């Protein structure tokens, strides 16, 4: 219902803060007269203030405008503002302006309603229906103002449709913050502290005014209400932006385009939102794109992600997420980054309980293929690729870098090929690190994102997969090799016998059965022997490469016994977490949570400083972990490695480095030699014009150079240790 207030004709002088009126003065009688002649009007001209400097106020540039409440105007003198093809004279024309401050050299033209805003310098506003701000605005932050009830608070229901993992949005939130908040739900003290430090980051007073910082351009837009717009933002043709912060800077300008609707959220620095995209209750990280009718609802989208033509509901998505297709659907998931959702993929297709509380958790590198669908609850290790098909039951895929495919019907086991990427598509895995590093356009990296597929988190998963293969082999050992089971008297002996079988057998045709991988009907594990050996080889490669990097950082030619002793003084962490894209020891995450609960970490800036501090020592932690992995693989301390073990490591790692380069070249070479790839071109010249040449491939050039340097350092790495044995 509308409310009417009858106005008094008495003129009221409005008291304004001194900082607003610094360098300002009242209008002269002649200026008021001229403004009236130019069809301007005001409730009280004494509440209109202009620049006190000579020559900085020219009434000729204000026409057909109504001033209400107080209005403070910066420099207005002959000048033009230009952005792309739009060029307009500075001034205020055909507007209604109420309780607002306008900075220097601004264009405010055809703004039908402008209330309670502070405009910076060189702001261009053109053809806007409403631009207003309430005094209780939060700009998308999940806080409450004085006297507001709890139901007014805005939550983002990530990871779960029933809001059981909801987080409060705030301006500086990154995916790591959202992950910790959504993950540790059982710790009520921590949850309360998260709310407290978020609340304490903002004023509770109901004296908020809208903010438009310097060099902002807004044109042909219908409604902007309760919006904070940072420097160098460009908004054109947006439909509705309400209760939102748009973060932007000269180095990372953000843009919002035609038909866009944004409600209750935060847009990260350098993000671009276009073409009828809709986002409601959301966080967009840095350098994100949302376009072509995409719908992002109740979700946090990590840095460097692109979403278009699709629907995402109730998700927590880590950095480097790609989802481009109108038919893809993602609901109630935590996807840990470097992911790619194909056309027709329906992730979280339906509910398996009486409440919409199902969840899917997918490690980084999750890649569901064309027309795939998965049910809640499911879990995937890192870099799992699924082939086309409908997965009718809940899944628990514990094999990283694997390929999975659906069975023939609902009663059939699924098929899993562990370590598939290493055996058949090494090019794509190796290219990942280079690809994502190149796509990282953030000018300011609040958090370091781990782009390398070979990192402590994936090595830990590989270790678990190796153990799982040994356990399953042990369960079928009597069928595979009866002679090994005849004298076994304990579970430990059985486990060791299975391990010995995997090391010595040449039977690479056997399969294993993993009941846990799919509810009720399980999964068939194909080529487990090859997977076992590939996993071990990758662990060695990671460990050796990490130790080579340690030597490079410390200007060492080779490891020696005293150097190994020094590395072993570094704290050893064997449990790792992917926290919003940054890989860190689980103990460090627990330490952070304790510091927050104890009140020693008092705000989100301090949380981010903790992430940065952990990152400082990340490479050293990896070096210690590398030694641990080698010792784990050979079941003895590195001091007891003999020359045979070192030779085995060098042979495996050298072979893998060569294989990575060879497979990468061959994989790309097929694009130039395969008959079916070439048949659409009538000549080699045409193909070269379209594809370029193999020799011009930047990635292969870098990989070739890196491989040569790596092999050179590899030859020297253990030289100082081999002499001791």
């Amino acid at each position: 219902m509308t409310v009417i207030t009858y106005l008094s004709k008495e003129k009221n002088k409005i008291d304004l803060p001194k900082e607003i009126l610094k360098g300002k003065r009242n209008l002269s009688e002649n200026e008021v007269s001229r403004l009236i002649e130019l069809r301007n009007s005001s409730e009280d001209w004494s509440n209109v203030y202009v620049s006190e400097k000579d020559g900085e106020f020219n009434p000729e540039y204000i026409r057909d405008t109504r001033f209400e409440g107080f209005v403070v105007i910066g420099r207005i003198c002959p000048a033009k503002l230009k952005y792309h093809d739009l060029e307009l004279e500075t001034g205020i024309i055909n507007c209604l302006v109420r309780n607002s401050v306008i900075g220097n050299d601004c264009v405010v033209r055809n703004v039908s309603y402008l209330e309670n805003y502070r405009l910076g310098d060189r702001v261009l506003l053109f053809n806007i229906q409403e631009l207003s701000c309430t005094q209780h605005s939060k700009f998308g932050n999940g806080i409450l103002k004085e006297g507001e009830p709890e139901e007014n608070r805005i939550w983002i229901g990530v990871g779960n449709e029933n809001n059981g993992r909801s987080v409060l949005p705030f301006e500086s939130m990154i995916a790591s913050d959202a992950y910790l908040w959504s993950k540790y739900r059982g710790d009520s003290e921590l949850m309360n502290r998260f709310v407290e430090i978020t609340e304490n980051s903002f004023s509770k007073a109901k004296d908020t005014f809208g903010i438009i910082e310097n060099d902002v351009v807004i044109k042909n837009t219908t409604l902007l209400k309760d919006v904070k717009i940072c420097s160098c933002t460009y908004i054109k043709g947006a439909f509705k932006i309400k209760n939102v912060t748009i973060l932007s800077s000269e180095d990372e300008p953000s843009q919002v385009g035609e038909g866009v609707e944004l409600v209750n959220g935060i847009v990260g620095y350098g993000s671009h939102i276009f073409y009828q995209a809709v986002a409601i209750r959301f966080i967009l990280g840095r350098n994100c794109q949302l376009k072509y009718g995409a719908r992002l609802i109740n979700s946090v989208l990590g840095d460097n992600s692109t979403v278009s033509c699709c629907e995402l509901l109730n998700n927590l998505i880590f950095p480097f997420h790609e989802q481009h297709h109108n038919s893809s659907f993602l609901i109630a998931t935590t996807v840990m980054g470097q992911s790619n959702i194909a056309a027709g993929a329906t992730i979280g297709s339906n509910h398996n309980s009486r409440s919409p509380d199902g969840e899917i958790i997918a490690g980084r590198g999750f890649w569901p293929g064309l027309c795939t669908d998965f049910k809640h609850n499911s879990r995937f290790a890192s870099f799992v690729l699924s082939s086309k098909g409908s997965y009718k039951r809940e899944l628990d895929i514990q094999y990283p870098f694997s390929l999975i495919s659906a069975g023939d019907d609902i009663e059939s086991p699924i098929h899993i090929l562990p370590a598939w990427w290493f055996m058949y598509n090494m090019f794509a895995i190796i290219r990942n690190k280079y690809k994502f590093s190149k796509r990282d356009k953030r000018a300011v990296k609040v958090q370091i994102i781990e782009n390398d597929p070979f990192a402590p988190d994936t090595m830990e998963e590989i270790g678990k997969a190796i153990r799982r293969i040994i356990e399953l082999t042990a369960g079928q050992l009597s069928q595979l090799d009866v002679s090994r089971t005849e004298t076994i008297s304990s579970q430990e002996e059985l486990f060791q016998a299975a391990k010995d079988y995997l090391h010595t057998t040449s039977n690479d045709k056997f399969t294993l059965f993993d009941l846990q991988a799919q509810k009720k009907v399980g999964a068939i594990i194909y080529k487990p022997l090859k997977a076992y050996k590939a996993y071990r080889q990758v662990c060695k490669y990671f460990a050796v490469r990490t130790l080579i990097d340690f030597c490079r950082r410390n200007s060492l030619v080779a490891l020696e016994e005293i150097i190994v002793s020094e590395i072993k003084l570094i704290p050893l962490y064997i449990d790792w977490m992917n926290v919003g894209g940054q890989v860190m020891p689980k103990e460090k995450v627990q330490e952070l949570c304790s510091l927050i609960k104890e009140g020693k970490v008092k705000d989100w800036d301090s949380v981010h400083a903790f992430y940065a501090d952990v990152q400082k020592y990340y490479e050293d932690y990896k070096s210690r972990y590398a030694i641990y992995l080698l010792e784990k693989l050979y079941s003895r301390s590195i001091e007891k490695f003999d020359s045979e073990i070192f030779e085995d490591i060098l042979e495996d790692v050298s072979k893998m480095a060569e294989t990575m380069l060879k497979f990468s070249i061959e994989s790309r070479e097929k694009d130039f030699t395969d008959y079916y790839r070439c048949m659409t071109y009538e000549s080699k010249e045409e193909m070269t014009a379209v594809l370029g040449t193999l020799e011009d491939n930047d990635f292969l050039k870098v990989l070739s150079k890196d491989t040569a340097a790596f092999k050179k350092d590899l030859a020297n790495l253990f030289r100082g240790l081999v002499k001791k044995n």
Side-chain angles (χ1 to χ4, degrees):
M1 181 181 293
T2 58
V3 177
I4 188 169
T5 302
Y6 291 98
L7 303 177
S8 170
K9 292 184 178 181
E10 295 180 6
K11 295 183 178 181
N12 296 311
K13 187 72 174 177
I14 300 174
D15 292 327
L16 296 175
K18 292 182 179 179
E19 61 269 17
I20 289 179
L21 297 180
K22 185 177 180 181
K24 301 297 187 290
R25 62 172 174 82
N26 289 114
L27 295 165
S28 68
E29 289 185 10
N30 289 337
E31 288 169 337
V32 171
S33 297
R34 185 55 182 153
L35 286 169
I36 292 172
E37 289 174 1
L38 293 169
R39 299 174 302 282
N40 300 295
S41 63
S42 174
E43 295 175 320
D44 186 347
W45 288 107
S46 67
N47 290 322
V48 178
Y49 299 86
V50 297
S51 176
E52 65 182 10
K53 292 183 179 180
D54 291 341
E56 288 200 352
F57 177 70
N58 189 333
E60 302 299 321
Y61 294 93
I62 302 177
R63 302 191 299 273
D64 301 297
T65 293
R66 170 71 174 172
F67 297 118
E68 296 181 359
F70 72 87
V71 178
V72 180
I73 302 171
R75 181 172 56 237
I76 294 184
C77 56
K80 289 183 178 181
L81 276 185
K82 183 176 181 180
Y83 188 81
H84 294 169
D85 295 328
L86 179 64
E87 184 174 22
L88 296 170
E89 287 186 338
T90 59
I92 306 171
I93 300 175
N94 193 31
C95 301
L96 189 158
V97 183
R98 175 185 294 162
N99 297 335
S100 294
V101 177
I102 298 171
N104 296 324
D105 305 316
C106 292
V107 173
V108 185
R109 183 176 296 195
N110 300 338
V111 181
S112 300
Y113 187 78
L114 170 59
E115 181 183 17
N116 192 28
Y117 258 87
R118 307 289 190 270
L119 276 58
D121 299 335
R122 300 172 302 281
V123 171
L124 194 161
L125 306 180
F126 179 58
N127 292 347
I128 299 171
Q129 188 167 321
E130 180 181 343
L131 175 57
S132 64
C133 182
T134 58
Q135 291 191 328
H136 58 266
S137 175
K138 297 96 177 172
F139 305 130
N141 296 290
I143 60 170
L144 295 176
K145 293 288 189 174
E146 290 175 348
E148 285 191 314
E150 185 61 35
E151 54 264 28
N152 283 14
R153 193 188 297 278
I154 299 297
W155 292 85
I156 301 180
V158 301
N160 192 301
E161 280 187 278
N162 71 354
N163 297 321
R165 296 190 184 275
S166 293
V167 302
L168 291 181
F170 54 89
E171 187 175 303
S172 62
M173 174 175 267
I174 57 178
S176 302
D177 307 328
Y179 179 66
L180 295 182
W181 203 325
S182 68
K183 172 72 174 173
Y184 292 106
R185 305 306 288 196
D187 192 334
S188 58
E189 184 181 356
L190 182 63
M191 296 299 103
N192 292 335
R193 282 288 294 139
F194 282 152
V195 174
E196 184 180 334
I197 63 177
T198 302
E199 285 277 7
N200 292 341
S201 300
F202 302 91
S203 168
K204 292 182 175 293
K206 290 185 176 180
D207 58 359
T208 307
F209 49 82
I211 299 170
I212 298 179
E213 295 181 356
N214 299 339
D215 301 297
V216 169
V217 176
I218 308 174
K219 67 178 186 180
N220 304 323
T221 294
T222 306
L223 172 66
L224 299 107
K225 185 171 184 177
D226 296 343
V227 182
K228 176 181 175 181
I229 304 173
C230 295
S231 297
C232 303
T233 299
Y234 177 37
I235 301 174
K236 59 172 180 176
F239 171 63
K240 178 181 181 180
I241 305 178
K242 183 177 180 182
N243 191 32
V244 167
T245 291
I246 301 177
L247 300 171
S248 179
S249 67
E250 185 176 357
D251 292 331
E252 296 175 288
S254 295
Q255 296 187 19
V256 179
E258 295 84 353
V260 167
E261 185 172 356
L262 305 175
V263 180
N264 299 334
I266 312 292
V267 176
Y269 288 92
S271 291
H272 295 71
I273 310 172
F274 291 125
Y275 310 126
Q276 290 80 47
V278 175
I280 300 171
R281 293 183 183 246
F282 69 96
I283 296 276
L284 279 189
R286 280 181 132 96
N287 187 39
C288 287
Q289 296 191 55
L290 190 67
K291 54 190 178 180
Y292 301 125
R295 293 205 298 158
L296 182 75
I297 300 171
N298 262 317
S299 296
V300 173
L301 186 65
D303 297 349
N304 299 309
S305 295
T306 299
V307 167
S308 59
C309 308
C310 58
E311 188 171 12
L312 296 90
L313 311 176
N314 301 92
N315 300 290
L316 171 55
I317 301 173
F318 291 9
F320 292 108
H321 178 80
E322 300 287 324
Q323 191 168 347
H324 301 276
H325 307 283
N326 197 43
S327 54
S328 61
F329 181 68
L330 198 65
I331 183 168
T333 70
T334 298
V335 181
M336 296 187 174
Q338 298 166 43
S339 36
N340 195 316
I341 310 299
T346 306
I347 318 299
S349 54
N350 51 31
H351 308 291
N352 299 349
S353 68
R354 296 173 181 84
S355 175
D357 56 2
E359 300 179 2
I360 287 176
I361 299 175
R364 60 192 180 104
F366 182 52
W367 197 321
L370 295 169
C371 300
T372 53
D373 66 82
F374 303 98
K375 297 169 76 79
H376 297 121
N377 289 348
S378 289
R379 182 174 62 173
F380 300 88
S382 297
F383 295 95
V384 169
L385 171 66
S386 64
S387 64
K388 179 178 179 179
S390 181
Y391 297 80
K392 300 294 189 181
R393 299 183 186 276
E394 297 91 325
L395 303 176
D396 186 15
I397 310 301
Q398 298 184 43
Y399 304 93
F401 302 96
S402 63
L403 170 69
I404 66 172
S405 57
D408 296 331
D409 54 57
I410 193 171
E411 300 303 325
S412 299
I414 62 167
H415 304 160
I416 302 177
L417 185 55
W420 177 85
W421 290 96
F422 308 144
M423 291 186 269
Y424 300 103
N425 201 2
M426 183 66 84
F427 169 77
I429 281 294
I430 301 308
R431 183 171 170 266
N432 261 23
K433 180 181 178 181
Y434 296 85
K435 175 178 70 176
F436 290 125
S437 296
K438 192 173 182 179
R439 290 180 184 175
D440 192 347
K441 304 299 184 183
R442 299 173 299 162
V444 178
K445 295 177 172 60
V446 174
Q447 189 168 32
I448 301 301
I449 301 167
E450 178 58 87
N451 296 326
D452 196 332
F454 303 149
D457 61 328
T458 50
M459 293 307 109
E460 184 183 350
E461 289 184 7
I462 284 176
K464 292 177 180 178
I466 288 174
R467 183 170 182 84
R468 185 66 177 163
I469 290 172
I470 295 172
E471 289 172 348
L472 295 176
T473 303
Q476 296 179 208
L477 193 59
S478 59
Q479 303 169 36
L480 297 169
D481 191 341
V482 177
S483 63
R484 292 180 187 267
T485 60
E486 290 177 347
T487 60
I488 292 174
S489 59
S490 68
Q491 193 65 33
E492 290 77 11
E493 290 181 1
L494 179 61
F495 187 88
Q496 185 60 49
K499 191 174 178 181
D500 292 341
Y501 176 80
L502 290 167
H503 278 282
T504 58
T505 186
S506 58
N507 175 20
D508 61 355
K509 303 297 183 184
F510 73 93
T511 62
L512 298 172
F513 184 75
D514 190 341
L515 181 60
Q516 187 174 297
Q518 181 182 212
K519 188 175 182 179
K520 292 186 179 180
V521 293
I524 299 172
I525 311 301
Y526 289 92
K527 300 187 178 180
L529 179 61
K530 285 188 175 181
Y532 177 79
K533 292 180 178 179
Y535 278 147
R536 286 179 57 88
Q537 191 177 38
V538 168
C539 284
K540 294 176 193 177
Y541 175 81
F542 163 80
V544 168
R545 191 190 63 183
T546 300
L547 293 173
I548 287 175
D549 289 342
F550 176 88
C551 290
R552 289 173 177 172
R553 288 196 312 276
N554 293 279
S555 302
L556 300 171
V557 175
L559 290 175
E560 296 180 0
E561 195 171 286
I562 189 171
I563 302 299
V564 171
S565 299
E566 290 175 1
I567 293 175
K568 285 197 169 186
L569 294 176
I570 299 170
L572 172 61
Y573 300 106
I574 59 176
D575 294 325
W576 296 82
M577 293 178 65
N578 175 3
V579 183
Q582 179 179 349
V583 174
M584 60 179 72
K586 187 174 182 178
E587 286 182 43
K588 286 295 179 181
V589 177
Q590 294 168 340
E591 178 185 338
L592 172 60
C593 293
S594 296
L595 291 172
I596 293 171
K597 289 191 290 185
E598 293 166 7
K600 295 178 180 178
V601 171
K602 301 178 183 297
D603 52 47
W604 288 108
D605 286 343
S606 299
V607 172
H608 297 168
F610 186 93
Y611 298 152
D613 189 60
V614 173
Q615 186 64 33
K616 287 180 188 175
Y617 303 100
Y618 176 58
E619 296 299 330
D620 287 339
Y621 295 154
K622 280 173 60 179
S623 300
R624 179 65 187 94
Y625 183 62
I627 296 289
Y628 164 81
L629 279 181
L630 291 176
E631 293 179 336
K632 187 83 171 174
L633 288 170
Y634 290 95
S635 302
R636 70 197 72 182
S637 68
I638 195 169
E639 289 85 358
K640 295 183 179 179
F641 283 12
D642 55 27
S643 57
E644 185 178 342
I645 290 178
F646 283 123
E647 287 172 9
D648 181 65
I649 295 171
L650 292 174
E651 182 181 351
D652 262 4
V653 173
S654 179
K655 187 183 298 182
M656 184 170 181
E658 292 170 357
T659 300
M660 287 161 56
L661 178 60
K662 178 174 178 287
F663 281 8
S664 295
I665 293 173
E666 288 177 353
S667 178
R668 184 60 176 144
E669 194 173 34
K670 289 177 184 177
D671 294 335
F672 300 91
T673 59
D674 181 80
Y675 170 78
Y676 294 97
R677 288 285 290 162
C678 298
M679 68 183 182
T680 59
Y681 307 104
E682 291 187 1
S683 66
K684 185 176 181 180
E685 290 75 18
E686 180 187 355
M687 185 174 71
T688 300
V690 175
L691 298 180
T693 65
L694 183 66
E695 292 74 20
D696 292 334
N697 187 282
D698 290 337
F699 163 66
L700 293 179
K701 287 180 182 178
V702 173
L703 182 60
S704 297
K705 182 179 178 181
D706 288 351
T707 301
F710 177 79
K711 290 185 68 176
K712 181 179 179 181
D713 291 337
L714 176 63
N716 294 321
L717 180 64
F718 297 122
R719 189 178 62 195
L721 298 177
V722 172
K723 292 178 181 178
K724 300 288 183 180
N725 293 276

